[in-house]
């Protein structure tokens, strides 16, 4: 079993890697990293419980940042989709003969 200090460093490192993957829009990397992180986090909580309280606060801050970045990207994709739909609708109206 890894020590408490090593566990904390590992969790924080993995959390920062998740944040970096989201920032660079590396979605597949994020999914792969997140799966491993969730397993490590679960094991660490089971093993160390309250000894991780400060680390969990930092992980929660990282998670908040990740969620905000994902939300911004979703909004951006929605806006792009709406713009594409509008352009398609205009093109269709242009090429479709009026009745």
């Amino acid at each position: 079993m890894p020590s408490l200090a090593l566990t904390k460093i590992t969790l924080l490192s993995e959390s920062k890697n998740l944040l970096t993957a989201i920032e660079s829009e590396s979605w597949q990397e994020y999914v792969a990293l997140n799966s491993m992180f969730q397993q490590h986090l679960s094991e660490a909580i089971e093993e160390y419980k309250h000894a991780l309280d400060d680390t969990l606060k930092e992980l929660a801050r990282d998670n908040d940042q990740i969620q905000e970045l994902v939300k911004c990207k979703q909004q951006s994709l929605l806006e792009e989709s709406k713009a594409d739909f509008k352009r398609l609708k205009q093109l269709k109206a242009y090429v479709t003969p009026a009745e």
Side-chain angles (χ1 to χ4, degrees):
M1 300 260 164
S3 69
L4 175 60
L6 180 59
T7 298
K8 287 179 176 183
I9 290 170
T10 300
L11 290 173
L12 291 169
S13 175
E14 289 177 351
S15 181
K16 298 302 180 192
N17 288 338
L18 288 169
L19 187 55
T20 300
I22 289 295
E23 288 173 337
S24 64
E25 298 181 12
S26 300
W27 308 111
Q28 289 179 336
E29 180 182 4
Y30 174 81
V31 170
L33 291 170
N34 189 48
S35 176
M36 182 175 51
F37 173 73
Q38 293 299 324
Q39 179 181 349
H40 291 160
L41 179 61
S42 177
E43 290 169 358
I45 290 172
E46 188 175 313
E47 174 83 16
Y48 296 108
K49 297 179 180 47
H50 295 293
L52 290 174
D53 286 350
D54 290 339
T55 303
L56 293 174
K57 288 177 186 174
E58 180 65 26
L59 296 176
R61 284 190 289 274
D62 287 351
N63 187 56
D64 289 344
Q65 283 183 280
I66 288 168
Q67 287 186 25
E68 185 60 33
L69 289 167
V70 168
K71 183 179 174 183
C72 287
K73 184 59 181 175
Q74 286 175 328
Q75 185 62 38
S76 174
L77 289 172
L78 177 61
E79 294 302 319
E80 286 178 30
S81 178
K82 285 180 181 179
D84 287 346
F85 180 73
K86 185 177 179 180
R87 283 190 292 272
L88 183 60
K89 190 174 177 181
Q90 289 171 340
L91 180 61
K92 186 176 179 181
Y94 178 74
V95 296
T96 304
E99 294 182 33

XYZ file of all heavy atoms in Angstrom:
799
model
N 0.833 -1.182 0.000
C 0.000 0.000 0.000
C 0.881 1.250 0.000
O 1.838 1.331 0.769
C -0.882 0.033 1.248
C -1.826 -1.114 1.414
S -3.446 -0.594 0.880
C -4.218 -2.167 0.706
N 0.554 2.199 -0.850
C 1.331 3.442 -0.857
C 1.077 4.238 0.416
O 0.037 4.107 1.068
C 0.819 4.186 -2.085
C -0.400 3.482 -2.535
C -0.455 2.160 -1.865
N 2.029 5.076 0.745
C 1.887 5.906 1.934
C 0.846 6.992 1.706
O 0.452 7.272 0.572
C 3.236 6.549 2.270
O 3.555 7.514 1.282
N 0.421 7.625 2.779
C -0.542 8.707 2.697
C 0.005 9.844 1.836
O -0.691 10.367 0.961
C -0.906 9.216 4.096
C -1.817 10.436 4.152
C -3.152 10.155 3.475
C -2.014 10.880 5.600
N 1.259 10.201 2.051
C 1.862 11.301 1.288
C 1.898 10.972 -0.206
O 1.553 11.822 -1.037
C 3.263 11.600 1.804
N 2.301 9.766 -0.542
C 2.355 9.364 -1.946
C 0.954 9.333 -2.546
O 0.754 9.745 -3.694
C 3.026 7.995 -2.084
C 3.149 7.459 -3.515
C 3.948 8.420 -4.388
C 3.781 6.084 -3.512
N -0.018 8.875 -1.787
C -1.401 8.842 -2.255
C -1.904 10.251 -2.555
O -2.532 10.489 -3.589
C -2.302 8.155 -1.208
O -1.854 6.810 -1.049
C -3.754 8.169 -1.629
N -1.619 11.191 -1.653
C -2.040 12.578 -1.865
C -1.406 13.149 -3.129
O -2.090 13.770 -3.955
C -1.664 13.451 -0.670
C -2.506 13.210 0.547
C -2.048 14.114 1.697
C -2.925 13.968 2.914
N -2.519 14.895 4.004
N -0.117 12.927 -3.299
C 0.596 13.436 -4.479
C 0.034 12.813 -5.748
O -0.178 13.498 -6.747
C 2.116 13.172 -4.355
C 2.704 14.056 -3.257
C 2.824 13.410 -5.685
C 4.127 13.717 -2.883
N -0.229 11.535 -5.715
C -0.778 10.835 -6.877
C -2.150 11.395 -7.250
O -2.411 11.696 -8.427
C -0.875 9.321 -6.601
O 0.433 8.816 -6.331
C -1.482 8.585 -7.780
N -3.012 11.557 -6.253
C -4.351 12.086 -6.530
C -4.294 13.502 -7.090
O -4.991 13.820 -8.061
C -5.205 12.057 -5.256
C -5.627 10.686 -4.758
C -6.311 10.811 -3.400
C -6.528 9.989 -5.758
N -3.468 14.344 -6.491
C -3.353 15.724 -6.976
C -2.768 15.769 -8.380
O -3.225 16.536 -9.236
C -2.509 16.563 -6.009
C -3.168 16.836 -4.658
C -2.166 17.421 -3.684
C -4.370 17.745 -4.823
N -1.790 14.932 -8.631
C -1.180 14.869 -9.960
C -2.191 14.408 -11.002
O -2.305 14.994 -12.092
C 0.018 13.922 -9.926
O 0.565 13.759 -11.210
N -2.927 13.372 -10.679
C -3.932 12.865 -11.613
C -5.031 13.907 -11.854
O -5.504 14.069 -12.979
C -4.532 11.562 -11.101
C -3.563 10.397 -11.173
C -4.108 9.111 -10.595
O -5.186 9.118 -9.961
O -3.440 8.073 -10.763
N -5.401 14.613 -10.804
C -6.416 15.655 -10.942
C -5.929 16.775 -11.868
O -6.671 17.257 -12.727
C -6.763 16.216 -9.563
O -7.757 17.195 -9.656
N -4.689 17.178 -11.703
C -4.121 18.215 -12.574
C -4.017 17.713 -14.013
O -4.222 18.478 -14.963
C -2.743 18.669 -12.077
C -2.746 19.289 -10.696
C -3.663 20.488 -10.588
C -3.603 21.062 -9.179
N -4.634 22.041 -8.898
N -3.716 16.431 -14.194
C -3.680 15.860 -15.542
C -5.062 15.880 -16.189
O -5.191 16.137 -17.393
C -3.138 14.430 -15.517
C -1.656 14.374 -15.237
O -0.929 15.345 -15.443
N -1.188 13.246 -14.746
N -6.099 15.627 -15.389
C -7.472 15.712 -15.902
C -7.778 17.140 -16.350
O -8.352 17.358 -17.420
C -8.475 15.282 -14.828
C -8.523 13.807 -14.495
C -9.350 13.568 -13.238
C -9.093 13.025 -15.661
N -7.385 18.093 -15.543
C -7.605 19.501 -15.864
C -6.874 19.880 -17.148
O -7.438 20.531 -18.031
C -7.155 20.371 -14.691
C -7.454 21.850 -14.750
C -8.934 22.131 -14.968
C -6.978 22.524 -13.467
N -5.649 19.428 -17.276
C -4.866 19.705 -18.487
C -5.514 19.074 -19.720
O -5.567 19.698 -20.784
C -3.425 19.182 -18.322
O -2.821 19.847 -17.208
C -2.594 19.427 -19.562
N -6.011 17.858 -19.578
C -6.664 17.190 -20.711
C -7.891 17.969 -21.157
O -8.131 18.130 -22.364
C -7.041 15.752 -20.333
N -8.670 18.477 -20.218
C -9.857 19.255 -20.566
C -9.453 20.573 -21.209
O -10.044 20.995 -22.209
C -10.733 19.503 -19.317
C -11.396 18.208 -18.878
C -11.778 20.583 -19.566
C -12.400 17.635 -19.862
N -8.446 21.222 -20.657
C -7.991 22.498 -21.217
C -7.526 22.345 -22.657
O -7.738 23.231 -23.486
C -6.864 23.086 -20.361
C -7.332 23.616 -19.035
C -6.221 24.045 -18.111
O -5.064 23.575 -18.265
O -6.499 24.839 -17.206
N -6.906 21.215 -22.965
C -6.410 20.986 -24.323
C -7.428 20.249 -25.189
O -7.122 19.883 -26.325
C -5.094 20.208 -24.285
O -5.298 18.931 -23.734
N -8.613 20.038 -24.643
C -9.706 19.360 -25.346
C -9.315 17.966 -25.825
O -9.718 17.517 -26.890
C -10.233 20.213 -26.497
C -10.818 21.534 -26.032
C -11.365 22.390 -27.160
O -11.510 21.898 -28.292
O -11.653 23.562 -26.881
N -8.545 17.286 -25.013
C -8.155 15.897 -25.285
C -9.169 14.994 -24.604
O -8.932 14.448 -23.522
C -6.749 15.620 -24.747
O -5.813 16.470 -25.339
N -10.327 14.834 -25.233
C -11.457 14.162 -24.599
C -11.192 12.693 -24.333
O -11.560 12.172 -23.271
C -12.718 14.355 -25.441
C -12.956 15.795 -25.745
C -12.856 16.401 -26.961
C -13.290 16.853 -24.824
N -13.118 17.757 -26.862
C -13.391 18.054 -25.555
C -13.510 16.898 -23.455
C -13.698 19.278 -24.964
C -13.823 18.114 -22.865
C -13.913 19.275 -23.618
N -10.571 12.000 -25.268
C -10.281 10.576 -25.058
C -9.281 10.390 -23.921
O -9.419 9.473 -23.110
C -9.765 9.933 -26.341
C -10.839 9.788 -27.395
C -10.309 9.180 -28.680
O -9.121 9.261 -28.973
N -11.196 8.575 -29.449
N -8.300 11.269 -23.878
C -7.319 11.210 -22.792
C -8.012 11.456 -21.453
O -7.746 10.767 -20.465
C -6.221 12.244 -23.016
C -5.162 12.249 -21.947
C -4.105 13.321 -22.166
O -4.205 14.125 -23.112
O -3.172 13.357 -21.353
N -8.920 12.428 -21.436
C -9.654 12.726 -20.210
C -10.437 11.502 -19.731
O -10.396 11.160 -18.546
C -10.609 13.910 -20.412
C -11.486 14.135 -19.210
C -11.003 14.826 -18.109
C -12.769 13.608 -19.158
C -11.795 15.000 -16.979
C -13.566 13.781 -18.036
C -13.073 14.475 -16.948
O -13.856 14.638 -15.839
N -11.131 10.853 -20.635
C -11.938 9.685 -20.261
C -11.042 8.586 -19.681
O -11.374 7.985 -18.647
C -12.753 9.164 -21.467
C -13.394 7.821 -21.174
C -13.818 10.188 -21.854
N -9.916 8.340 -20.322
C -8.997 7.306 -19.840
C -8.420 7.674 -18.473
O -8.385 6.838 -17.551
C -7.871 7.092 -20.847
N -7.983 8.922 -18.334
C -7.419 9.371 -17.065
C -8.469 9.368 -15.954
O -8.172 9.011 -14.814
C -6.830 10.776 -17.203
C -5.573 10.919 -18.045
C -5.259 12.391 -18.273
C -4.405 10.214 -17.383
N -9.668 9.771 -16.288
C -10.722 9.863 -15.282
C -11.072 8.496 -14.705
O -11.311 8.360 -13.511
C -11.968 10.539 -15.854
C -12.985 10.852 -14.790
O -12.664 11.415 -13.752
N -14.219 10.481 -15.045
N -11.091 7.503 -15.551
C -11.388 6.148 -15.082
C -10.358 5.705 -14.038
O -10.714 5.191 -12.977
C -11.391 5.185 -16.270
O -11.587 3.879 -15.833
N -9.091 5.924 -14.333
C -8.021 5.557 -13.413
C -8.105 6.406 -12.134
O -7.975 5.888 -11.024
C -6.666 5.765 -14.105
C -5.481 5.362 -13.272
S -3.900 5.481 -14.148
C -3.942 7.126 -14.809
N -8.354 7.704 -12.300
C -8.440 8.609 -11.159
C -9.573 8.201 -10.219
O -9.404 8.183 -8.999
C -8.639 10.045 -11.644
C -8.912 11.018 -10.535
C -7.903 11.408 -9.667
C -10.176 11.552 -10.357
C -8.157 12.301 -8.637
C -10.440 12.445 -9.331
C -9.420 12.816 -8.472
N -10.733 7.892 -10.778
C -11.871 7.507 -9.949
C -11.553 6.268 -9.112
O -11.930 6.193 -7.939
C -13.112 7.255 -10.819
C -13.655 8.491 -11.487
C -14.101 9.558 -10.500
O -14.621 9.254 -9.437
N -13.888 10.808 -10.852
N -10.863 5.325 -9.713
C -10.480 4.117 -8.982
C -9.513 4.465 -7.857
O -9.690 4.024 -6.710
C -9.843 3.093 -9.920
C -9.414 1.822 -9.212
C -8.750 0.828 -10.148
O -8.779 0.990 -11.355
N -8.146 -0.185 -9.585
N -8.491 5.259 -8.167
C -7.510 5.643 -7.151
C -8.160 6.451 -6.025
O -7.849 6.256 -4.848
C -6.368 6.445 -7.768
C -5.505 5.643 -8.659
N -4.686 6.201 -9.613
C -5.314 4.293 -8.762
C -4.039 5.249 -10.251
N -4.414 4.084 -9.753
N -9.059 7.348 -6.383
C -9.743 8.169 -5.393
C -10.585 7.302 -4.464
O -10.546 7.463 -3.236
C -10.604 9.224 -6.085
C -11.399 10.155 -5.182
C -10.469 10.952 -4.276
C -12.254 11.094 -6.027
N -11.318 6.381 -5.031
C -12.153 5.489 -4.230
C -11.307 4.680 -3.256
O -11.643 4.556 -2.068
C -12.939 4.564 -5.163
O -13.697 3.649 -4.428
N -10.217 4.137 -3.753
C -9.324 3.341 -2.902
C -8.710 4.203 -1.802
O -8.593 3.768 -0.648
C -8.225 2.702 -3.747
C -8.723 1.608 -4.665
C -7.692 1.169 -5.692
O -6.570 1.740 -5.731
O -8.007 0.250 -6.474
N -8.321 5.428 -2.140
C -7.694 6.316 -1.166
C -8.678 6.714 -0.068
O -8.320 6.742 1.118
C -7.150 7.564 -1.867
N -9.893 7.016 -0.448
C -10.905 7.393 0.548
C -11.179 6.228 1.483
O -11.304 6.395 2.700
C -12.191 7.895 -0.143
C -11.932 9.258 -0.797
C -13.343 7.971 0.844
C -13.065 9.762 -1.668
N -11.264 5.045 0.912
C -11.502 3.852 1.732
C -10.344 3.622 2.703
O -10.557 3.278 3.866
C -11.686 2.633 0.832
C -12.123 1.390 1.563
C -12.417 0.250 0.597
O -13.110 0.480 -0.410
O -11.930 -0.865 0.866
N -9.135 3.854 2.229
C -7.935 3.587 3.034
C -7.673 4.670 4.084
O -7.371 4.374 5.231
C -6.716 3.473 2.100
C -5.388 3.334 2.800
C -5.075 1.915 3.210
O -5.724 0.984 2.699
O -4.185 1.743 4.044
N -7.790 5.938 3.691
C -7.316 7.024 4.557
C -8.409 7.924 5.128
O -8.139 8.733 6.016
C -6.299 7.885 3.794
C -5.061 7.122 3.430
C -4.814 6.749 2.123
C -4.144 6.734 4.403
C -3.676 6.034 1.780
C -3.007 6.014 4.079
C -2.780 5.673 2.753
O -1.655 4.975 2.428
N -9.609 7.858 4.615
C -10.767 8.620 5.088
C -10.456 10.090 5.356
O -10.115 10.822 4.452
C -11.377 7.933 6.301
C -11.911 6.538 5.981
C -12.483 5.866 7.165
C -13.015 4.488 6.900
N -12.254 3.546 6.166
N -10.565 10.526 6.604
C -10.452 11.951 6.954
C -9.036 12.513 6.809
O -8.861 13.731 6.786
C -10.975 12.196 8.365
C -12.435 11.930 8.479
N -13.387 12.689 7.852
C -13.113 10.947 9.143
C -14.588 12.216 8.120
N -14.451 11.147 8.891
N -8.060 11.671 6.693
C -6.689 12.151 6.499
C -6.539 12.828 5.140
O -5.563 13.535 4.899
C -5.698 10.998 6.624
N -7.514 12.634 4.274
C -7.478 13.231 2.933
C -8.288 14.521 2.827
O -8.412 15.075 1.731
C -8.020 12.231 1.905
C -7.170 11.013 1.616
C -7.924 10.066 0.697
C -5.851 11.411 0.991
N -8.849 15.003 3.927
C -9.769 16.143 3.857
C -9.200 17.340 3.094
O -9.862 17.898 2.216
C -10.224 16.564 5.260
C -11.225 15.595 5.855
O -11.718 14.700 5.127
O -11.506 15.718 7.060
N -7.978 17.760 3.405
C -7.391 18.912 2.700
C -7.170 18.612 1.219
O -7.396 19.463 0.362
C -6.071 19.327 3.346
C -6.272 19.953 4.719
O -7.395 20.429 4.998
O -5.308 19.960 5.521
N -6.725 17.416 0.934
C -6.504 17.013 -0.454
C -7.826 16.983 -1.212
O -7.905 17.431 -2.364
C -5.830 15.629 -0.507
O -4.601 15.683 0.232
C -5.549 15.213 -1.943
N -8.872 16.498 -0.563
C -10.181 16.449 -1.209
C -10.705 17.847 -1.536
O -11.373 18.035 -2.550
C -11.180 15.684 -0.338
C -10.906 14.185 -0.175
C -11.884 13.566 0.816
C -10.959 13.472 -1.521
N -10.388 18.820 -0.704
C -10.785 20.205 -0.990
C -10.116 20.698 -2.271
O -10.739 21.341 -3.104
C -10.436 21.119 0.184
C -11.315 20.905 1.386
C -10.878 21.773 2.549
C -11.684 21.426 3.795
N -11.196 22.155 4.975
N -8.836 20.388 -2.429
C -8.115 20.770 -3.648
C -8.668 20.034 -4.860
O -8.838 20.608 -5.936
C -6.622 20.493 -3.493
C -5.791 20.858 -4.697
C -5.756 22.346 -5.002
O -5.932 23.162 -4.091
O -5.537 22.691 -6.187
N -8.977 18.761 -4.694
C -9.558 17.985 -5.787
C -10.920 18.552 -6.179
O -11.260 18.587 -7.367
C -9.681 16.512 -5.388
C -8.377 15.763 -5.109
C -8.672 14.342 -4.632
C -7.464 15.758 -6.314
N -11.673 19.003 -5.205
C -12.983 19.605 -5.490
C -12.811 20.898 -6.284
O -13.590 21.176 -7.202
C -13.741 19.862 -4.196
N -11.784 21.683 -5.968
C -11.518 22.912 -6.737
C -11.159 22.573 -8.180
O -11.635 23.222 -9.119
C -10.418 23.742 -6.074
C -10.888 24.502 -4.839
C -9.836 25.495 -4.357
N -8.679 24.857 -3.752
C -8.590 24.507 -2.470
N -9.602 24.732 -1.646
N -7.503 23.932 -1.999
N -10.329 21.572 -8.354
C -9.989 21.129 -9.714
C -11.245 20.667 -10.450
O -11.446 20.996 -11.620
C -8.976 19.977 -9.688
C -7.575 20.411 -9.303
O -7.333 21.638 -9.212
O -6.730 19.530 -9.085
N -12.082 19.917 -9.757
C -13.307 19.429 -10.368
C -14.218 20.589 -10.776
O -14.834 20.556 -11.845
C -14.039 18.479 -9.419
C -15.218 17.826 -10.083
O -15.091 17.190 -11.115
N -16.386 17.997 -9.493
N -14.293 21.610 -9.946
C -15.095 22.790 -10.292
C -14.564 23.454 -11.568
O -15.340 23.854 -12.433
C -15.100 23.805 -9.148
C -15.912 23.350 -7.949
O -16.714 22.396 -8.085
O -15.725 23.942 -6.857
N -13.246 23.540 -11.678
C -12.637 24.115 -12.883
C -12.947 23.255 -14.105
O -13.261 23.777 -15.176
C -11.120 24.241 -12.717
C -10.676 25.388 -11.866
C -9.155 25.452 -11.833
O -8.510 24.717 -11.097
N -8.599 26.322 -12.653
N -12.834 21.956 -13.946
C -13.121 21.029 -15.049
C -14.563 21.197 -15.501
O -14.843 21.312 -16.699
C -12.825 19.570 -14.629
C -11.310 19.356 -14.521
C -13.444 18.578 -15.609
C -10.914 18.058 -13.852
N -15.475 21.240 -14.550
C -16.887 21.385 -14.906
C -17.150 22.712 -15.610
O -17.925 22.768 -16.571
C -17.766 21.266 -13.654
C -17.835 19.844 -13.152
C -18.815 19.682 -12.013
O -19.760 20.452 -11.880
N -18.607 18.678 -11.184
N -16.503 23.769 -15.175
C -16.691 25.077 -15.811
C -16.148 25.063 -17.251
O -16.785 25.587 -18.162
C -16.002 26.171 -14.996
C -16.239 27.561 -15.513
C -17.716 27.967 -15.537
O -18.490 27.523 -14.665
O -18.093 28.727 -16.457
N -14.990 24.437 -17.440
C -14.421 24.341 -18.789
C -15.317 23.511 -19.708
O -15.517 23.876 -20.870
C -13.013 23.742 -18.736
C -11.936 24.641 -18.149
C -10.669 23.837 -17.862
C -11.644 25.809 -19.062
N -15.839 22.415 -19.208
C -16.739 21.578 -20.010
C -18.001 22.355 -20.351
O -18.472 22.331 -21.492
C -17.072 20.257 -19.275
C -18.208 19.517 -19.951
C -15.836 19.369 -19.189
N -18.536 23.068 -19.387
C -19.743 23.865 -19.610
C -19.497 24.929 -20.690
O -20.329 25.121 -21.587
C -20.172 24.530 -18.301
C -21.448 25.314 -18.381
C -21.790 25.904 -17.022
C -22.975 26.814 -17.109
N -23.276 27.454 -15.818
N -18.350 25.593 -20.620
C -18.015 26.600 -21.638
C -17.884 25.972 -23.020
O -18.347 26.535 -24.016
C -16.721 27.318 -21.262
S -16.883 28.458 -19.890
N -17.257 24.797 -23.093
C -17.096 24.116 -24.379
C -18.452 23.676 -24.919
O -18.721 23.798 -26.117
C -16.160 22.915 -24.230
C -15.882 22.218 -25.539
C -15.252 23.154 -26.564
C -15.000 22.451 -27.862
N -14.505 23.351 -28.902
N -19.325 23.194 -24.047
C -20.664 22.796 -24.484
C -21.420 23.997 -25.036
O -22.089 23.899 -26.063
C -21.450 22.178 -23.320
C -20.996 20.801 -22.956
C -21.698 20.264 -21.718
O -22.061 21.001 -20.811
N -21.870 18.955 -21.672
N -21.300 25.138 -24.369
C -21.967 26.352 -24.836
C -21.415 26.774 -26.191
O -22.164 27.148 -27.093
C -21.801 27.488 -23.816
C -22.563 28.734 -24.166
C -24.067 28.513 -24.209
O -24.624 27.778 -23.414
N -24.729 29.148 -25.151
N -20.100 26.686 -26.342
C -19.459 27.028 -27.605
C -19.943 26.110 -28.729
O -20.250 26.573 -29.840
C -17.942 26.919 -27.454
O -17.292 27.102 -28.684
N -20.015 24.817 -28.443
C -20.496 23.860 -29.449
C -21.957 24.109 -29.801
O -22.349 23.990 -30.967
C -20.304 22.429 -28.949
C -18.868 21.932 -28.884
C -18.810 20.578 -28.178
C -18.246 21.862 -30.258
N -22.754 24.475 -28.819
C -24.152 24.793 -29.072
C -24.273 26.006 -29.993
O -25.060 25.989 -30.958
C -24.889 25.055 -27.755
C -26.352 25.460 -27.874
C -27.172 24.358 -28.553
C -26.920 25.796 -26.501
N -23.485 27.023 -29.730
C -23.514 28.224 -30.569
C -23.070 27.906 -32.000
O -23.668 28.381 -32.969
C -22.639 29.329 -29.967
C -23.149 29.860 -28.639
C -24.557 30.418 -28.709
O -24.890 31.103 -29.696
O -25.335 30.156 -27.763
N -22.018 27.076 -32.124
C -21.551 26.669 -33.451
C -22.639 25.888 -34.183
O -22.860 26.082 -35.376
C -20.294 25.809 -33.338
C -19.045 26.552 -32.991
C -17.850 25.616 -32.839
O -17.806 24.565 -33.510
O -16.972 25.942 -32.029
N -23.298 25.003 -33.465
C -24.355 24.197 -34.048
C -25.507 25.069 -34.534
O -26.043 24.868 -35.635
C -24.851 23.180 -33.021
O -25.903 22.420 -33.540
N -25.894 26.038 -33.714
C -26.959 26.950 -34.110
C -26.566 27.743 -35.354
O -27.378 27.925 -36.264
C -27.283 27.920 -32.964
C -28.060 27.304 -31.842
C -28.319 28.343 -30.752
C -29.081 27.767 -29.590
N -29.298 28.790 -28.524
N -25.321 28.211 -35.404
C -24.849 28.970 -36.556
C -24.827 28.089 -37.809
O -25.229 28.529 -38.897
C -23.463 29.544 -36.283
N -24.370 26.841 -37.659
C -24.354 25.913 -38.790
C -25.767 25.641 -39.290
O -26.023 25.595 -40.496
C -23.675 24.596 -38.409
C -22.174 24.716 -38.277
O -21.605 25.737 -38.732
O -21.560 23.797 -37.693
N -26.701 25.448 -38.374
C -28.088 25.196 -38.744
C -28.664 26.399 -39.498
O -29.351 26.228 -40.507
C -28.926 24.893 -37.504
C -30.364 24.612 -37.812
C -30.740 23.416 -38.401
C -31.339 25.552 -37.524
C -32.069 23.149 -38.702
C -32.676 25.303 -37.821
C -33.043 24.102 -38.413
N -28.359 27.584 -39.019
C -28.858 28.795 -39.675
C -28.292 28.917 -41.092
O -29.017 29.216 -42.039
C -28.490 30.029 -38.849
C -29.062 31.312 -39.382
C -28.716 32.479 -38.482
C -29.275 33.781 -39.049
N -28.954 34.919 -38.204
N -26.982 28.651 -41.235
C -26.361 28.699 -42.566
C -26.972 27.648 -43.493
O -27.238 27.916 -44.661
C -24.851 28.509 -42.458
C -24.113 29.736 -41.974
C -22.609 29.582 -42.117
N -22.049 28.571 -41.229
C -21.649 28.799 -39.980
N -21.757 30.000 -39.454
N -21.148 27.821 -39.254
N -27.205 26.453 -42.976
C -27.805 25.382 -43.770
C -29.221 25.762 -44.196
O -29.603 25.550 -45.359
C -27.822 24.078 -42.969
C -28.358 22.843 -43.687
C -27.528 22.527 -44.916
C -28.381 21.662 -42.740
N -29.953 26.335 -43.300
C -31.314 26.758 -43.607
C -31.311 27.845 -44.688
O -32.120 27.810 -45.619
C -31.979 27.279 -42.326
C -33.455 27.517 -42.444
C -34.029 27.899 -41.078
C -35.500 28.214 -41.190
N -36.080 28.608 -39.901
N -30.377 28.793 -44.591
C -30.269 29.849 -45.591
C -29.862 29.270 -46.944
O -30.389 29.667 -47.986
C -29.265 30.914 -45.144
C -29.742 31.757 -43.992
C -28.660 32.656 -43.425
O -27.469 32.418 -43.616
N -29.081 33.697 -42.717
N -28.934 28.327 -46.930
C -28.493 27.696 -48.176
C -29.634 26.916 -48.810
O -29.851 27.000 -50.021
C -27.304 26.768 -47.905
C -26.729 26.030 -49.110
C -26.224 27.019 -50.148
C -25.623 25.088 -48.670
N -30.385 26.190 -48.004
C -31.492 25.421 -48.508
C -32.550 26.357 -49.127
O -33.094 26.071 -50.200
C -32.130 24.588 -47.400
C -33.202 23.650 -47.861
C -33.717 22.775 -46.729
C -34.814 21.862 -47.230
N -35.343 21.022 -46.160
N -32.807 27.458 -48.469
C -33.771 28.429 -49.003
C -33.262 29.019 -50.320
O -34.043 29.281 -51.248
C -34.001 29.549 -47.988
N -31.965 29.193 -50.468
C -31.369 29.762 -51.663
C -31.465 28.795 -52.844
O -31.764 29.199 -53.973
C -29.915 30.140 -51.391
C -29.200 30.686 -52.597
C -29.454 31.962 -53.072
C -28.265 29.908 -53.262
C -28.800 32.461 -54.170
C -27.597 30.384 -54.371
C -27.865 31.669 -54.830
O -27.220 32.158 -55.930
N -31.187 27.499 -52.587
C -31.141 26.543 -53.688
C -32.496 25.895 -53.976
O -32.658 25.252 -55.011
C -30.095 25.434 -53.438
C -28.709 26.017 -53.389
C -30.409 24.616 -52.207
N -33.453 26.041 -53.102
C -34.786 25.463 -53.323
C -35.633 26.484 -54.087
O -35.794 27.615 -53.637
C -35.460 25.117 -51.978
O -34.599 24.236 -51.243
C -36.802 24.465 -52.203
N -36.159 26.066 -55.221
C -36.983 27.020 -55.981
C -38.250 27.389 -55.217
O -38.840 26.574 -54.523
C -37.324 26.260 -57.262
C -36.954 24.838 -57.026
C -36.056 24.778 -55.835
N -38.612 28.636 -55.347
C -39.835 29.114 -54.687
C -41.029 28.570 -55.429
O -41.044 28.462 -56.664
C -39.859 30.642 -54.673
N -42.053 28.220 -54.714
C -43.254 27.669 -55.326
C -44.288 28.732 -55.559
O -44.455 29.697 -54.979
C -43.820 26.564 -54.441
C -42.871 25.384 -54.390
C -43.436 24.267 -53.555
O -44.646 24.064 -53.514
O -42.640 23.560 -52.944
